[in-house]
mmCIF file of all heavy atoms in Angstrom:
data_model
loop_
_atom_site.group_PDB
_atom_site.id
_atom_site.type_symbol
_atom_site.label_atom_id
_atom_site.label_comp_id
_atom_site.label_asym_id
_atom_site.label_seq_id
_atom_site.Cartn_x
_atom_site.Cartn_y
_atom_site.Cartn_z
ATOM 1 N N SER R 743 5.756 148.354 58.779
ATOM 2 C CA SER R 743 5.594 149.177 59.945
ATOM 3 C C SER R 743 5.290 150.604 59.555
ATOM 4 O O SER R 743 4.604 151.412 60.298
ATOM 5 C CB SER R 743 6.871 149.174 60.843
ATOM 6 O OG SER R 743 7.940 149.788 60.200
ATOM 7 N N PHE R 744 5.720 151.043 58.337
ATOM 8 C CA PHE R 744 5.337 152.405 57.802
ATOM 9 C C PHE R 744 3.942 152.447 57.276
ATOM 10 O O PHE R 744 3.461 153.460 56.928
ATOM 11 C CB PHE R 744 6.317 152.782 56.700
ATOM 12 C CG PHE R 744 7.485 153.611 57.240
ATOM 13 C CD1 PHE R 744 8.817 153.220 56.929
ATOM 14 C CD2 PHE R 744 7.321 154.774 57.927
ATOM 15 C CE1 PHE R 744 9.819 154.021 57.373
ATOM 16 C CE2 PHE R 744 8.307 155.563 58.352
ATOM 17 C CZ PHE R 744 9.581 155.192 58.083
ATOM 18 N N GLY R 745 3.282 151.228 57.156
ATOM 19 C CA GLY R 745 1.871 151.217 56.722
ATOM 20 C C GLY R 745 1.745 151.457 55.194
ATOM 21 O O GLY R 745 0.780 151.836 54.674
ATOM 22 N N LEU R 746 2.771 150.983 54.434
ATOM 23 C CA LEU R 746 2.765 151.166 53.016
ATOM 24 C C LEU R 746 2.127 150.021 52.270
ATOM 25 O O LEU R 746 1.653 150.172 51.118
ATOM 26 C CB LEU R 746 4.194 151.346 52.467
ATOM 27 C CG LEU R 746 5.003 152.466 53.114
ATOM 28 C CD1 LEU R 746 6.339 152.624 52.381
ATOM 29 C CD2 LEU R 746 4.277 153.799 53.060
ATOM 30 N N VAL R 747 2.083 148.806 52.919
ATOM 31 C CA VAL R 747 1.486 147.662 52.201
ATOM 32 C C VAL R 747 0.010 147.682 52.337
ATOM 33 O O VAL R 747 -0.554 147.622 53.384
ATOM 34 C CB VAL R 747 2.036 146.367 52.805
ATOM 35 C CG1 VAL R 747 1.454 145.207 52.107
ATOM 36 C CG2 VAL R 747 3.581 146.302 52.727
ATOM 37 N N ARG R 748 -0.669 147.747 51.198
ATOM 38 C CA ARG R 748 -2.135 147.923 51.154
ATOM 39 C C ARG R 748 -2.868 146.637 50.884
ATOM 40 O O ARG R 748 -4.035 146.459 51.267
ATOM 41 C CB ARG R 748 -2.543 148.956 50.148
ATOM 42 C CG ARG R 748 -2.061 150.390 50.429
ATOM 43 C CD ARG R 748 -2.509 150.811 51.800
ATOM 44 N NE ARG R 748 -2.124 152.183 52.104
ATOM 45 C CZ ARG R 748 -2.114 152.701 53.279
ATOM 46 N NH1 ARG R 748 -2.429 151.940 54.314
ATOM 47 N NH2 ARG R 748 -1.788 153.947 53.465
ATOM 48 N N GLU R 749 -2.233 145.723 50.133
ATOM 49 C CA GLU R 749 -2.925 144.442 49.838
ATOM 50 C C GLU R 749 -1.917 143.364 49.570
ATOM 51 O O GLU R 749 -0.801 143.622 49.096
ATOM 52 C CB GLU R 749 -3.856 144.601 48.630
ATOM 53 C CG GLU R 749 -3.172 145.000 47.330
ATOM 54 C CD GLU R 749 -4.155 145.012 46.123
ATOM 55 O OE1 GLU R 749 -5.050 144.209 46.142
ATOM 56 O OE2 GLU R 749 -3.900 145.853 45.278
ATOM 57 N N ILE R 750 -2.330 142.146 49.901
ATOM 58 C CA ILE R 750 -1.540 140.938 49.630
ATOM 59 C C ILE R 750 -2.490 139.883 49.105
ATOM 60 O O ILE R 750 -3.457 139.510 49.803
ATOM 61 C CB ILE R 750 -0.801 140.369 50.865
ATOM 62 C CG1 ILE R 750 0.140 141.432 51.466
ATOM 63 C CG2 ILE R 750 -0.069 139.070 50.560
ATOM 64 C CD1 ILE R 750 0.828 141.031 52.762
ATOM 65 N N GLU R 751 -2.268 139.416 47.834
ATOM 66 C CA GLU R 751 -3.160 138.485 47.274
ATOM 67 C C GLU R 751 -2.321 137.326 46.693
ATOM 68 O O GLU R 751 -1.267 137.559 46.120
ATOM 69 C CB GLU R 751 -3.954 139.035 46.126
ATOM 70 C CG GLU R 751 -4.969 140.120 46.560
ATOM 71 C CD GLU R 751 -5.798 140.693 45.426
ATOM 72 O OE1 GLU R 751 -5.615 140.193 44.286
ATOM 73 O OE2 GLU R 751 -6.605 141.622 45.650
ATOM 74 N N VAL R 752 -2.752 136.089 46.902
ATOM 75 C CA VAL R 752 -2.079 134.924 46.381
ATOM 76 C C VAL R 752 -3.104 134.000 45.754
ATOM 77 O O VAL R 752 -4.157 133.687 46.374
ATOM 78 C CB VAL R 752 -1.301 134.157 47.532
ATOM 79 C CG1 VAL R 752 -0.500 133.016 46.912
ATOM 80 C CG2 VAL R 752 -0.480 135.078 48.323
ATOM 81 N N ASP R 753 -2.889 133.564 44.524
ATOM 82 C CA ASP R 753 -3.766 132.665 43.922
ATOM 83 C C ASP R 753 -3.315 131.200 44.098
ATOM 84 O O ASP R 753 -2.264 130.985 44.656
ATOM 85 C CB ASP R 753 -4.028 133.035 42.392
ATOM 86 C CG ASP R 753 -2.748 132.850 41.578
ATOM 87 O OD1 ASP R 753 -1.792 132.131 42.008
ATOM 88 O OD2 ASP R 753 -2.632 133.457 40.487
ATOM 89 N N GLY R 754 -4.099 130.312 43.551
ATOM 90 C CA GLY R 754 -3.783 128.880 43.701
ATOM 91 C C GLY R 754 -2.591 128.423 42.974
ATOM 92 O O GLY R 754 -2.009 127.368 43.348
ATOM 93 N N GLY R 755 -2.077 129.208 42.050
ATOM 94 C CA GLY R 755 -0.882 128.831 41.260
ATOM 95 C C GLY R 755 0.361 129.373 41.888
ATOM 96 O O GLY R 755 1.473 129.225 41.252
ATOM 97 N N GLY R 756 0.297 129.973 43.048
ATOM 98 C CA GLY R 756 1.443 130.528 43.677
ATOM 99 C C GLY R 756 1.991 131.858 43.198
ATOM 100 O O GLY R 756 3.089 132.259 43.369
ATOM 101 N N ASN R 757 0.990 132.592 42.502
ATOM 102 C CA ASN R 757 1.299 133.883 42.029
ATOM 103 C C ASN R 757 0.856 134.947 43.128
ATOM 104 O O ASN R 757 -0.261 134.950 43.485
ATOM 105 C CB ASN R 757 0.589 134.190 40.761
ATOM 106 C CG ASN R 757 0.972 133.236 39.678
ATOM 107 O OD1 ASN R 757 2.172 132.999 39.427
ATOM 108 N ND2 ASN R 757 0.045 132.597 38.992
ATOM 109 N N ALA R 758 1.793 135.837 43.498
ATOM 110 C CA ALA R 758 1.514 136.737 44.532
ATOM 111 C C ALA R 758 1.421 138.197 43.953
ATOM 112 O O ALA R 758 2.193 138.589 43.101
ATOM 113 C CB ALA R 758 2.610 136.709 45.638
ATOM 114 N N LEU R 759 0.442 138.977 44.451
ATOM 115 C CA LEU R 759 0.261 140.364 44.075
ATOM 116 C C LEU R 759 0.362 141.214 45.327
ATOM 117 O O LEU R 759 -0.385 140.999 46.272
ATOM 118 C CB LEU R 759 -1.072 140.613 43.406
ATOM 119 C CG LEU R 759 -1.419 142.107 43.146
ATOM 120 C CD1 LEU R 759 -0.487 142.680 42.148
ATOM 121 C CD2 LEU R 759 -2.874 142.218 42.676
ATOM 122 N N ILE R 760 1.356 142.110 45.319
ATOM 123 C CA ILE R 760 1.553 142.974 46.500
ATOM 124 C C ILE R 760 1.179 144.413 46.096
ATOM 125 O O ILE R 760 1.760 144.961 45.147
ATOM 126 C CB ILE R 760 3.067 142.969 46.934
ATOM 127 C CG1 ILE R 760 3.544 141.488 47.011
ATOM 128 C CG2 ILE R 760 3.245 143.680 48.255
ATOM 129 C CD1 ILE R 760 2.810 140.631 48.035
ATOM 130 N N GLY R 761 0.238 145.029 46.847
ATOM 131 C CA GLY R 761 -0.097 146.438 46.566
ATOM 132 C C GLY R 761 0.575 147.302 47.548
ATOM 133 O O GLY R 761 0.507 147.112 48.738
ATOM 134 N N ILE R 762 1.237 148.339 47.052
ATOM 135 C CA ILE R 762 1.969 149.286 47.886
ATOM 136 C C ILE R 762 1.612 150.725 47.493
ATOM 137 O O ILE R 762 1.501 151.000 46.288
ATOM 138 C CB ILE R 762 3.524 149.108 47.728
ATOM 139 C CG1 ILE R 762 3.923 147.713 48.190
ATOM 140 C CG2 ILE R 762 4.320 150.131 48.480
ATOM 141 C CD1 ILE R 762 5.369 147.345 48.017
ATOM 142 N N GLU R 763 1.455 151.545 48.492
ATOM 143 C CA GLU R 763 1.108 152.927 48.269
ATOM 144 C C GLU R 763 2.057 153.834 48.977
ATOM 145 O O GLU R 763 2.260 153.724 50.229
ATOM 146 C CB GLU R 763 -0.340 153.218 48.797
ATOM 147 C CG GLU R 763 -0.754 154.640 48.564
ATOM 148 C CD GLU R 763 -2.188 154.846 49.156
ATOM 149 O OE1 GLU R 763 -2.951 153.928 49.167
ATOM 150 O OE2 GLU R 763 -2.499 155.990 49.579
ATOM 151 N N ILE R 764 2.798 154.749 48.259
ATOM 152 C CA ILE R 764 3.740 155.605 48.886
ATOM 153 C C ILE R 764 3.618 156.976 48.354
ATOM 154 O O ILE R 764 3.057 157.195 47.259
ATOM 155 C CB ILE R 764 5.199 155.121 48.670
ATOM 156 C CG1 ILE R 764 5.570 155.135 47.188
ATOM 157 C CG2 ILE R 764 5.418 153.745 49.249
ATOM 158 C CD1 ILE R 764 7.076 154.910 46.967
ATOM 159 N N THR R 765 4.140 157.988 49.117
ATOM 160 C CA THR R 765 4.226 159.350 48.642
ATOM 161 C C THR R 765 5.701 159.671 48.515
ATOM 162 O O THR R 765 6.478 159.595 49.464
ATOM 163 C CB THR R 765 3.616 160.280 49.671
ATOM 164 O OG1 THR R 765 2.178 159.976 49.779
ATOM 165 C CG2 THR R 765 3.731 161.731 49.217
ATOM 166 N N THR R 766 6.145 160.003 47.293
ATOM 167 C CA THR R 766 7.569 160.266 47.090
ATOM 168 C C THR R 766 7.761 161.101 45.794
ATOM 169 O O THR R 766 6.949 161.019 44.817
ATOM 170 C CB THR R 766 8.367 158.951 46.920
ATOM 171 O OG1 THR R 766 9.749 159.263 46.712
ATOM 172 C CG2 THR R 766 7.837 158.094 45.784
ATOM 173 N N GLY R 767 8.830 161.848 45.789
ATOM 174 C CA GLY R 767 9.243 162.602 44.630
ATOM 175 C C GLY R 767 10.343 161.998 43.892
ATOM 176 O O GLY R 767 10.851 162.524 42.921
ATOM 177 N N SER R 768 10.769 160.850 44.398
ATOM 178 C CA SER R 768 11.957 160.141 43.830
ATOM 179 C C SER R 768 11.482 158.982 42.892
ATOM 180 O O SER R 768 10.586 158.275 43.248
ATOM 181 C CB SER R 768 12.840 159.575 44.981
ATOM 182 O OG SER R 768 13.811 158.643 44.440
ATOM 183 N N GLU R 769 12.239 158.856 41.800
ATOM 184 C CA GLU R 769 11.920 157.729 40.928
ATOM 185 C C GLU R 769 12.694 156.429 41.392
ATOM 186 O O GLU R 769 12.212 155.319 41.128
ATOM 187 C CB GLU R 769 12.409 158.033 39.505
ATOM 188 C CG GLU R 769 11.674 159.193 38.845
ATOM 189 C CD GLU R 769 12.130 159.475 37.402
ATOM 190 O OE1 GLU R 769 13.087 158.751 36.999
ATOM 191 O OE2 GLU R 769 11.552 160.349 36.780
ATOM 192 N N GLU R 770 13.759 156.639 42.121
ATOM 193 C CA GLU R 770 14.524 155.439 42.554
ATOM 194 C C GLU R 770 13.887 154.707 43.666
ATOM 195 O O GLU R 770 13.963 153.461 43.765
ATOM 196 C CB GLU R 770 15.954 155.912 43.003
ATOM 197 C CG GLU R 770 16.847 156.397 41.855
ATOM 198 C CD GLU R 770 16.544 157.821 41.452
ATOM 199 O OE1 GLU R 770 15.774 158.476 42.221
ATOM 200 O OE2 GLU R 770 17.038 158.313 40.446
ATOM 201 N N VAL R 771 13.195 155.427 44.637
ATOM 202 C CA VAL R 771 12.623 154.796 45.784
ATOM 203 C C VAL R 771 11.598 153.695 45.389
ATOM 204 O O VAL R 771 11.710 152.518 45.909
ATOM 205 C CB VAL R 771 12.038 155.830 46.758
ATOM 206 C CG1 VAL R 771 11.127 155.131 47.829
ATOM 207 C CG2 VAL R 771 13.080 156.617 47.456
ATOM 208 N N PRO R 772 10.614 153.936 44.544
ATOM 209 C CA PRO R 772 9.639 152.905 44.223
ATOM 210 C C PRO R 772 10.362 151.727 43.529
ATOM 211 O O PRO R 772 9.990 150.580 43.760
ATOM 212 C CB PRO R 772 8.709 153.596 43.288
ATOM 213 C CG PRO R 772 8.820 155.037 43.557
ATOM 214 C CD PRO R 772 10.242 155.233 43.923
ATOM 215 N N GLU R 773 11.352 152.019 42.670
ATOM 216 C CA GLU R 773 12.007 150.943 41.963
ATOM 217 C C GLU R 773 12.770 150.037 42.918
ATOM 218 O O GLU R 773 12.802 148.824 42.853
ATOM 219 C CB GLU R 773 12.974 151.486 40.912
ATOM 220 C CG GLU R 773 12.284 152.240 39.762
ATOM 221 C CD GLU R 773 13.250 152.892 38.767
ATOM 222 O OE1 GLU R 773 14.457 152.794 39.049
ATOM 223 O OE2 GLU R 773 12.806 153.446 37.793
ATOM 224 N N GLN R 774 13.447 150.635 43.886
ATOM 225 C CA GLN R 774 14.245 149.910 44.861
ATOM 226 C C GLN R 774 13.272 149.078 45.748
ATOM 227 O O GLN R 774 13.570 147.915 46.019
ATOM 228 C CB GLN R 774 15.047 150.861 45.742
ATOM 229 C CG GLN R 774 15.904 150.102 46.749
ATOM 230 C CD GLN R 774 16.820 151.089 47.505
ATOM 231 O OE1 GLN R 774 17.080 152.195 47.082
ATOM 232 N NE2 GLN R 774 17.330 150.635 48.641
ATOM 233 N N ILE R 775 12.145 149.637 46.177
ATOM 234 C CA ILE R 775 11.204 148.874 47.022
ATOM 235 C C ILE R 775 10.669 147.718 46.200
ATOM 236 O O ILE R 775 10.602 146.606 46.723
ATOM 237 C CB ILE R 775 10.110 149.768 47.552
ATOM 238 C CG1 ILE R 775 10.718 150.815 48.555
ATOM 239 C CG2 ILE R 775 8.950 148.985 48.165
ATOM 240 C CD1 ILE R 775 9.658 151.795 49.062
ATOM 241 N N ALA R 776 10.246 147.948 45.034
ATOM 242 C CA ALA R 776 9.651 146.906 44.168
ATOM 243 C C ALA R 776 10.639 145.762 43.939
ATOM 244 O O ALA R 776 10.255 144.541 44.051
ATOM 245 C CB ALA R 776 9.186 147.422 42.875
ATOM 246 N N ALA R 777 11.900 146.096 43.688
ATOM 247 C CA ALA R 777 12.932 145.065 43.470
ATOM 248 C C ALA R 777 13.130 144.187 44.723
ATOM 249 O O ALA R 777 13.223 142.951 44.655
ATOM 250 C CB ALA R 777 14.189 145.727 43.040
ATOM 251 N N GLU R 778 13.147 144.823 45.911
ATOM 252 C CA GLU R 778 13.378 144.121 47.131
ATOM 253 C C GLU R 778 12.123 143.279 47.504
ATOM 254 O O GLU R 778 12.300 142.178 48.052
ATOM 255 C CB GLU R 778 13.732 145.095 48.263
ATOM 256 C CG GLU R 778 15.074 145.720 48.128
ATOM 257 C CD GLU R 778 15.554 146.403 49.441
ATOM 258 O OE1 GLU R 778 15.263 145.841 50.512
ATOM 259 O OE2 GLU R 778 16.254 147.386 49.367
ATOM 260 N N VAL R 779 10.988 143.795 47.208
ATOM 261 C CA VAL R 779 9.776 142.964 47.432
ATOM 262 C C VAL R 779 9.773 141.722 46.622
ATOM 263 O O VAL R 779 9.493 140.625 47.146
ATOM 264 C CB VAL R 779 8.507 143.830 47.134
ATOM 265 C CG1 VAL R 779 7.284 142.945 47.065
ATOM 266 C CG2 VAL R 779 8.279 144.880 48.183
ATOM 267 N N LYS R 780 10.102 141.811 45.354
ATOM 268 C CA LYS R 780 10.161 140.663 44.507
ATOM 269 C C LYS R 780 11.223 139.660 44.964
ATOM 270 O O LYS R 780 11.026 138.421 44.878
ATOM 271 C CB LYS R 780 10.450 141.111 43.052
ATOM 272 C CG LYS R 780 9.324 141.850 42.384
ATOM 273 C CD LYS R 780 9.628 142.247 40.947
ATOM 274 C CE LYS R 780 8.428 142.937 40.348
ATOM 275 N NZ LYS R 780 8.727 143.377 38.925
ATOM 276 N N GLU R 781 12.351 140.183 45.447
ATOM 277 C CA GLU R 781 13.436 139.338 45.889
ATOM 278 C C GLU R 781 13.004 138.554 47.191
ATOM 279 O O GLU R 781 13.198 137.330 47.228
ATOM 280 C CB GLU R 781 14.681 140.171 46.210
ATOM 281 C CG GLU R 781 15.840 139.298 46.804
ATOM 282 C CD GLU R 781 16.984 140.172 47.293
ATOM 283 O OE1 GLU R 781 17.012 141.414 46.947
ATOM 284 O OE2 GLU R 781 17.876 139.670 47.950
ATOM 285 N N LYS R 782 12.481 139.305 48.189
ATOM 286 C CA LYS R 782 12.129 138.648 49.468
ATOM 287 C C LYS R 782 10.958 137.739 49.364
ATOM 288 O O LYS R 782 11.027 136.589 49.830
ATOM 289 C CB LYS R 782 11.821 139.711 50.506
ATOM 290 C CG LYS R 782 12.982 140.741 50.746
ATOM 291 C CD LYS R 782 14.242 139.945 51.303
ATOM 292 C CE LYS R 782 15.288 140.983 51.679
ATOM 293 N NZ LYS R 782 16.527 140.312 52.182
ATOM 294 N N VAL R 783 9.906 138.169 48.643
ATOM 295 C CA VAL R 783 8.711 137.320 48.508
ATOM 296 C C VAL R 783 9.003 136.183 47.545
ATOM 297 O O VAL R 783 8.508 135.051 47.777
ATOM 298 C CB VAL R 783 7.516 138.131 48.078
ATOM 299 C CG1 VAL R 783 6.267 137.262 47.824
ATOM 300 C CG2 VAL R 783 7.178 139.227 49.099
ATOM 301 N N GLY R 784 9.749 136.451 46.478
ATOM 302 C CA GLY R 784 10.036 135.411 45.529
ATOM 303 C C GLY R 784 10.881 134.264 46.065
ATOM 304 O O GLY R 784 10.876 133.140 45.493
ATOM 305 N N ALA R 785 11.580 134.574 47.155
ATOM 306 C CA ALA R 785 12.406 133.457 47.793
ATOM 307 C C ALA R 785 11.633 132.525 48.648
ATOM 308 O O ALA R 785 12.107 131.478 49.029
ATOM 309 C CB ALA R 785 13.494 134.138 48.640
ATOM 310 N N LEU R 786 10.307 132.818 48.876
ATOM 311 C CA LEU R 786 9.464 131.939 49.725
ATOM 312 C C LEU R 786 9.092 130.704 48.939
ATOM 313 O O LEU R 786 8.830 130.720 47.697
ATOM 314 C CB LEU R 786 8.177 132.658 50.130
ATOM 315 C CG LEU R 786 8.392 133.864 51.044
ATOM 316 C CD1 LEU R 786 7.027 134.567 51.286
ATOM 317 C CD2 LEU R 786 8.974 133.415 52.415
ATOM 318 N N GLU R 787 9.108 129.588 49.635
ATOM 319 C CA GLU R 787 8.711 128.344 49.019
ATOM 320 C C GLU R 787 7.275 128.310 48.630
ATOM 321 O O GLU R 787 6.372 128.753 49.398
ATOM 322 C CB GLU R 787 8.954 127.161 49.997
ATOM 323 C CG GLU R 787 8.700 125.836 49.395
ATOM 324 C CD GLU R 787 8.965 124.660 50.411
ATOM 325 O OE1 GLU R 787 9.548 124.988 51.427
ATOM 326 O OE2 GLU R 787 8.695 123.566 50.041
#
């Protein structure tokens, strides 16, 4: 809803690439977002 997700690609082998674009001065914010993205998407069958 914040419009941060720029691309979603999935190949035939079930490998997903998520492109995210943000503006931040924090090092922790991108790391936290990336970790949660891997957790939520990785849980999909």
Side-chain angles (χ1 to χ4, degrees):
S743 68
F744 265 126
L746 305 185
V747 179
R748 295 306 186 194
E749 62 177 325
I750 299 174
E751 295 181 3
V752 187
D753 64 21
N757 300 311
L759 172 64
I760 313 299
I762 296 175
E763 180 181 331
I764 65 172
T765 299
T766 179
S768 167
E769 295 181 359
E770 292 80 11
V771 167
E773 293 177 358
Q774 183 175 340
I775 291 176
E778 291 194 34
V779 166
K780 290 180 179 180
E781 176 188 350
K782 300 298 184 183
V783 177
L786 295 174
E787 184 178 354

